[in-house]
Structures are given as C-alpha cells and as structure tokens.
Amino acid sequence: MQPCCGNSVCHVLMLVLCLSAAEDFDWTKNNHGSFYYGTFPTGFSWGAGGSAYQTEGAWDKDGKGLSIWDVFSHKKGKIQLNDTGDSSCESYYKIKDDISLMKEIRLNHYRFSISWPRIIPTGVKSDHVNGKGIQFYDELIDHLLENHITPIVTLYHWDLPQVLQEKYGGWQNISMVNHFNDFANLCFEKFGDRVKHWITFNNPWSMAVEGYETGEHAPGLKLRGTGAYRAAHHIIKAHAKVWHTYDTQWRAKQKGLVGISLSGDWGEPVDISNQKDIEAAERYVQFYLGWFATPIFHGDYPQVMKDFVGRKSVQQGLGTSRLPVFSSQEKSYIKGTCDFLGIGHFTTRYITQRNDPTGRSSNSYFTDRDLAELVDPRWPDPGSEWLYSVPWGFRRLLNFVKTQYGNPMIYVTENGVSEKMMCTELCDEWRIQYYKDYINEMLKAIRDGVNVKGYTAWSLLDKFEWDEGYSERFGLYYVDFRNKNKPRYPKASVQFYKRIISSNGFPNQREVENWRRKAVEMCSSSNQLLAAARRKSKEHAEMPKVWPVHDEV
Ligand code: NOJ
C-alpha cells in the first residue's frame, strides 16, 4: 500500500490525489539507495525453475511427438556448435535426484513446463493423448508435493508440436487458439487437482519476435514487420481463452490461479530530465512488456504501439496497420484475464530517442519503436552478451508494473545470470553478487508497495540455452554435459541462495558477508570433485577433443 494511503485520516481529496498519483510512474526519479538489510513478508515463496525442452532430454522417447525446437535444433547452423536438446540434463530420468537438490536448498516452489508434444504428440488432442507423457508429469508433480515443494507449471515454454507448425504455420494461425485451449484443458483435467499455479505462456515476446521476426528461435521465420505482431495477437487470444476455460470449468473445484509470464528488460531514459528520452524509454517498455500486459490488464494494446505502428504502416503505403486490431468483444474478453503476473527479468538498457534512419521502406518491430538502446560500459556482463547486471532496473520495472496494471499479484518467474561455457569454475562469486543485489532490489520494491509473492531463481540447472546451445550456463547447479550421466555439482551461488531462503532475506551485513565467504570456501571442494571426475573420465573413456562439445563419454 502507498504510505500516504495508509493514513486513515486521509481526506477524500487527498485519497483521490493519492490514487491517481499511484497510477503514474515517476520517470524523473531514480534513487538507487544503499543495500537494504531486512526480511521478506512471511510466506514469501522461494523457488527455482527450468523448462521442458531446456532440461528434459528424452526428445523421442515414450511416444513423445516432435516439437518445433526438436526440428529447428537439428538443422545445421541454427544453434551454437549445432547442439540440440536431445538429451540435455536428462531430467526426464532424474526426477528424484533433482528434487533432492531442491530439498537440499529448501525451495518452496519449482517452476517447470509441460511439453505439449510429450502429452499430445501431434498437438491435436483428438488425434492421440500419450499416457506415458501424462504419467511422467504425474510423477513429477507427486514427488514435488511429497517433498512439500509447490509446482508452478508453465503450459507453453516454446515447444509447439511440429505438426501444428507444418499444417497451420504455428502461431501465425488463429487455429492455435483452440488447439492450445484443448491442451490446457487436458492439463487442468489431469493435473489440476494438484497444481494450483498455472502459467499459460512463457515470455511471448521471445516467441513472437525471435520465432517470427528475427528467426533466431524456432520456427525460425523472418516475417519482418508483421509476423511478430500476428503471432502475439493469437497468443494473447489463446491466453485469454485458457484463462476463461479455467475460470468457467475448473476454478470452483480446483481453486487455482492462472497467470502469464512476461519478460521485460527495463528501459531507463539516458537523460531523465529530457522528455524525449523519457518518452523513448516508455515506448521501449510498452513495446516489450506492455505489448502483452496492457491487453491483458486493460483490454487493448498500448496507445503508443497503436500510434507508432499505425503511422508507419500508413507511411509505408499500407491500407491498415501492421498491428492487428481487437474487436470490442475481444477487448472485454481479454481484459482482466490474469490472476497473477509472472515477471521474467534479467537486465536493463539505457534508451534514447532515435528516428528510424532507414525511413519509410523499413518495416520491422525494432524500427517501429524509434529508439536506440545503450549500455553503460561499467555494468558487469559476466555471461550472455545481452545480460548486464543492473540491479536497480529490477526495482524500477516492478514499480512500473505496480503503477500501470493496478498493483497485481506478481511472481518473479525468472531472474538470474549466466556464465560462459568455458568457465568450469564452480566458485561463481559474480552470480552471488547478482542474486544478492537483484533480490535486494526486489525487497526494496516490496517495501515500495509492489505485491511480489514469490521469486524464482533462473535456473536450477545449467541447461540448453536455445540458440546459444550449451555455451551459456544459468544454473545454480553445474551440469557436466560431457558425461552421459549428466552429474550435477553445486556452485557457490546455490549455497548463498540457500542462506537467503533460510533467513527469508538479509539479516545483517556481517552475516551476509559470512554466507558469501562460506559459500566460496565450500565450492573449492566441489571444484576438486568435478576436476577429479573429469580426470577419471579422461582416463577411462575417449573424450571429445574440443571443449565444449557435450557428446556422451
Ligand atoms: C528467458 C527464457 O524464458 C528462458 O528459457 C531462458 O533460459 C532465459 N530467458 C535466459 O536466456
């Protein structure tokens, strides 16, 4: 709650002022403040996550159908080192092992996704439901619950059944809405007695932009200027339909929640005293998070998207906007279809106004925004090229969500940092620093009044990182992909995260510093274990010559 609203003697006028002020995000103040020692609200849920294609492996086992990622990753030149998720962490065979890791750090929840083609091989429910796929998720859910770990389940983390891509063009086609709804309905029917937190889509921004605009992700289409908008339009409709299905058919009985997980980098104006920069930064965020959140919370696309894409479409001589339009029935059907908002957040950019230099002929999501993205060279960037550590951006984003969408219930569904594959060092001090600072900014945001209920470290394990293959490791646990048993080793950061969980926050400077020191001390023995295992496998088996190939030993 806003501090001024908490005062019971608030005059009515004051209250009105107070409420309207709460709707405006203040772009002009960015006080970073110092580290805050304190704890999270009681019942705050601590978790870690992963997704089906990134971790399960068993890509062609037990009746599973092909997904667009199976097909895409098998094409030469699409993935770093031509790697695939064929076996990845083999999590399909390691439910119990992985749950022991979660227990070890006392996770409250685990976020995973269901592979649609594992339970409906062609994507079309009336064709065939794969009992073995259902059985796998049944067991996973049961084991989690037996160990008092709440499952948070994503229905779609990018692995569309290939048949739906081939037959209909995937998310370019409106028919996905009904097929996805049938799949979701089946999941509610089979698992909804035990699963109470459902996420319809993970990061639809990536699905739309990287899948249908840049083609870096499956299905690899480059439909510039239109493909992403069309895919997003259908995804939003599919999300709304599934929410309504749950609401009308299952909610009364199962009493769960249905949300969506949106990703959003934060966009900070280069110069907070320059109105043009502020507008550009706001555009950046609206074209990113707002693209999906605004229809879901308010019924329609952000006005700025409608204006910019509409104007450019006219300039390009098109009769209608490249941004599709919702009918008024659709708007009211979509509005309010969110019981909680999942936020996936990793990084921040500085933003400044820049008119598209290519002018009228240019036609793309990126140029539609008329802005330039910048980074501060002093920001740490330990892993992925795009991932700079800017903790204060997280607090800004969370506050933005609060002001724009009526302070919804939030679960942070992804936050974390990678390291380069070449780094076999388990003493990941930079990841400790990242988690420490980002989690602290989330705590500050909660103190600002943002309604965050849980946090999901991304990710539990090193795993297949999409087009980057295995070259970027996000895990709290290191996975030795060269060993066919895919053993897991704790990194220092997992010890540190465990302490945050057990203290439900940051008690005081001395203790937090102690955690860091102990975590780093402990990891040197894990380092030795890993090195010894490597030596042993070198002695006993033929090793691939070039690290990092993850072929079986
Ligand atoms: C967001 C995606 O949802 C997730 O699958 C991926 O691992 C992270 N970004 C890091 O790139």
Side-chain angles (χ1 to χ4, degrees):
M1 183 164 300
Q2 292 286 294
C4 64
C5 294
N7 184 343
S8 57
V9 294
C10 257
H11 187 275
V12 176
L13 181 63
M14 281 284 288
L15 189 64
V16 170
L17 284 175
C18 184
L19 289 175
S20 65
E23 284 166 15
D24 288 325
F25 179 77
D26 189 352
W27 289 91
T28 64
K29 282 197 201 84
N30 185 3
N31 302 323
H32 300 180
S34 51
F35 196 86
Y36 176 79
Y37 289 93
T39 51
F40 283 81
T42 314
F44 190 81
S45 190
W46 295 100
S51 78
Y53 188 71
Q54 291 182 281
T55 60
E56 281 177 7
W59 71 294
D60 58 352
K61 296 290 185 302
D62 293 343
K64 175 181 166 294
L66 289 180
S67 80
I68 54 173
W69 271 95
D70 291 314
V71 172
F72 186 72
S73 66
H74 281 103
K75 289 186 184 151
K76 290 271 166 283
K78 300 292 184 194
I79 312 292
Q80 280 268 344
L81 299 171
N82 291 318
D83 262 319
T84 71
D86 291 2
S87 58
S88 189
C89 310
E90 301 272 27
S91 296
Y92 186 71
Y93 301 106
K94 287 178 174 281
I95 290 181
K96 288 197 173 154
D97 296 355
D98 287 344
I99 292 178
S100 326
L101 301 181
M102 298 174 208
K103 257 185 98 172
E104 165 63 27
I105 53 174
R106 306 252 166 88
L107 289 190
N108 304 116
H109 70 258
Y110 178 56
R111 178 184 175 218
F112 65 92
S113 75
I114 294 181
S115 158
W116 181 352
R118 193 177 290 290
I119 69 169
I120 305 179
T122 63
V124 179
K125 191 183 155 209
S126 55
D127 286 350
H128 173 57
V129 172
N130 179 25
K132 287 203 170 154
I134 303 277
Q135 192 188 331
F136 167 69
Y137 294 109
D138 261 337
E139 282 172 17
L140 174 56
I141 292 163
D142 287 345
H143 282 299
L144 285 168
L145 292 173
E146 277 159 24
N147 288 287
H148 311 289
I149 300 168
T150 302
I152 297 192
V153 181
T154 309
L155 290 165
Y156 188 93
H157 202 124
W158 305 355
D159 43 359
L160 185 78
Q162 173 68 10
V163 173
L164 295 181
Q165 190 67 46
E166 278 169 19
K167 262 197 178 167
Y168 304 106
W171 291 104
Q172 291 302 292
N173 193 304
I174 186 72
S175 66
M176 288 311 99
V177 175
N178 285 338
H179 290 306
F180 181 65
N181 186 57
D182 289 347
F183 160 60
N185 204 13
L186 176 69
C187 293
F188 298 150
E189 179 196 325
K190 299 287 182 192
F191 312 122
D193 54 339
R194 289 152 293 156
V195 173
K196 305 298 165 193
H197 296 78
W198 293 101
I199 292 168
T200 53
F201 289 96
N202 173 71
N203 192 348
W205 182 91
S206 254
M207 288 166 63
V209 173
E210 294 176 297
Y212 293 91
E213 171 99 18
T214 67
E216 292 158 287
H217 282 186
L221 298 175
K222 296 180 183 160
L223 309 168
R224 293 200 197 274
T226 56
Y229 295 132
R230 188 175 303 125
H233 204 64
H234 297 149
I235 293 165
I236 293 165
K237 287 185 183 183
H239 161 81
K241 177 142 192 171
V242 166
W243 185 90
H244 281 286
T245 295
Y246 191 81
D247 200 47
T248 53
Q249 296 181 37
W250 302 100
R251 189 187 295 284
K253 197 160 151 223
Q254 299 186 343
K255 304 195 168 46
L257 302 171
V258 178
I260 187 166
S261 174
L262 302 181
S263 72
D265 293 352
W266 178 244
E268 182 71 11
V270 167
D271 175 0
I272 49 173
S273 63
N274 177 337
Q275 189 54 28
K276 287 272 170 235
D277 278 359
I278 291 180
E279 283 166 18
E282 174 153 17
R283 264 199 318 281
Y284 176 82
V285 179
Q286 295 292 7
F287 268 77
Y288 211 135
L289 181 85
W291 183 5
F292 301 91
T294 316
I296 289 170
F297 286 98
H298 300 305
D300 201 0
Y301 292 118
Q303 191 58 43
V304 74
M305 280 188 86
K306 294 198 283 187
D307 291 348
F308 272 61
V309 184
R311 184 166 44 77
K312 283 173 185 254
S313 304
V314 170
Q315 285 167 2
Q316 286 151 2
L318 301 169
T320 53
S321 175
R322 286 181 280 103
L323 185 71
V325 174
F326 292 119
S327 71
S328 49
Q329 285 99 320
E330 285 168 346
K331 286 180 194 168
S332 41
Y333 185 75
I334 291 165
K335 183 176 172 176
T337 54
C338 205
D339 303 324
F340 67 91
L341 179 62
I343 292 285
H345 174 77
F346 294 88
T347 196
T348 284
R349 293 286 180 269
Y350 277 122
I351 305 295
T352 190
Q353 152 79 29
R354 189 184 66 185
N355 286 336
D356 168 23
T358 46
R360 308 172 96 217
S361 60
S362 158
N363 183 347
S364 101
Y365 162 85
F366 293 99
T367 51
D368 281 342
R369 304 172 306 169
D370 278 350
L371 55 86
E373 301 178 35
L374 306 166
V375 294
D376 183 334
R378 289 166 302 184
W379 289 344
D381 61 335
S384 311
E385 210 192 344
W386 52 270
L387 208 172
Y388 294 82
S389 174
V390 193
W392 52 260
F394 193 19
R395 181 181 182 186
R396 297 279 273 166
L397 178 76
L398 290 170
N399 271 286
F400 180 85
V401 167
K402 167 177 169 258
T403 58
Q404 297 286 301
Y405 312 119
N407 203 9
M409 184 200 291
I410 294 176
Y411 277 84
V412 172
T413 40
E414 286 183 22
N415 177 242
V417 65
S418 52
E419 73 236 24
K420 295 273 181 253
M421 177 71 176
M422 295 305 283
C423 180
T424 54
E425 175 61 68
L426 299 175
C427 302
D428 53 347
E429 284 197 69
W430 73 91
R431 184 175 285 108
I432 290 181
Q433 193 65 41
Y434 180 99
Y435 275 126
K436 178 180 165 212
D437 292 341
Y438 269 76
I439 291 173
N440 198 248
E441 292 297 320
M442 174 174 68
L443 179 56
K444 291 179 190 169
I446 292 174
R447 285 175 52 81
D448 296 335
V450 183
N451 188 14
V452 187
K453 295 289 188 203
Y455 174 85
T456 314
W458 194 262
S459 45
L460 182 73
L461 305 175
D462 290 339
K463 57 188 174 354
F464 181 81
E465 190 49 44
W466 308 113
D467 52 323
E468 302 299 340
Y470 296 92
S471 68
E472 291 172 12
R473 293 173 172 270
F474 276 84
L476 291 166
Y477 286 91
Y478 178 94
V479 178
D480 187 355
F481 293 108
R482 293 190 304 172
N483 182 328
K484 71 171 185 314
N485 298 320
K486 312 294 166 87
R488 286 80 158 122
Y489 296 86
K491 300 182 190 176
S493 53
V494 79
Q495 308 294 349
F496 188 81
Y497 186 45
K498 181 179 172 179
R499 304 289 181 166
I500 297 180
I501 297 174
S502 64
S503 299
N504 198 29
F506 306 95
N508 58 61
Q509 190 173 0
R510 206 165 47 92
E511 222 169 303
V512 174
E513 179 45 34
N514 246 341
W515 296 348
R516 195 198 57 77
R517 206 171 32 76
K518 282 199 187 134
V520 175
E521 270 165 28
M522 279 173 78
C523 73
S524 46
S525 55
S526 314
N527 260 343
Q528 282 166 13
L529 277 178
L530 175 59
R534 286 254 173 73
R535 275 196 303 276
K536 208 166 151 215
S537 58
K538 258 191 203 146
E539 282 159 20
H540 296 294
E542 256 192 46
M543 293 292 289
K545 297 271 180 301
V546 192
W547 171 250
V549 174
H550 80 291
D551 287 345
E552 298 182 348
V553 293

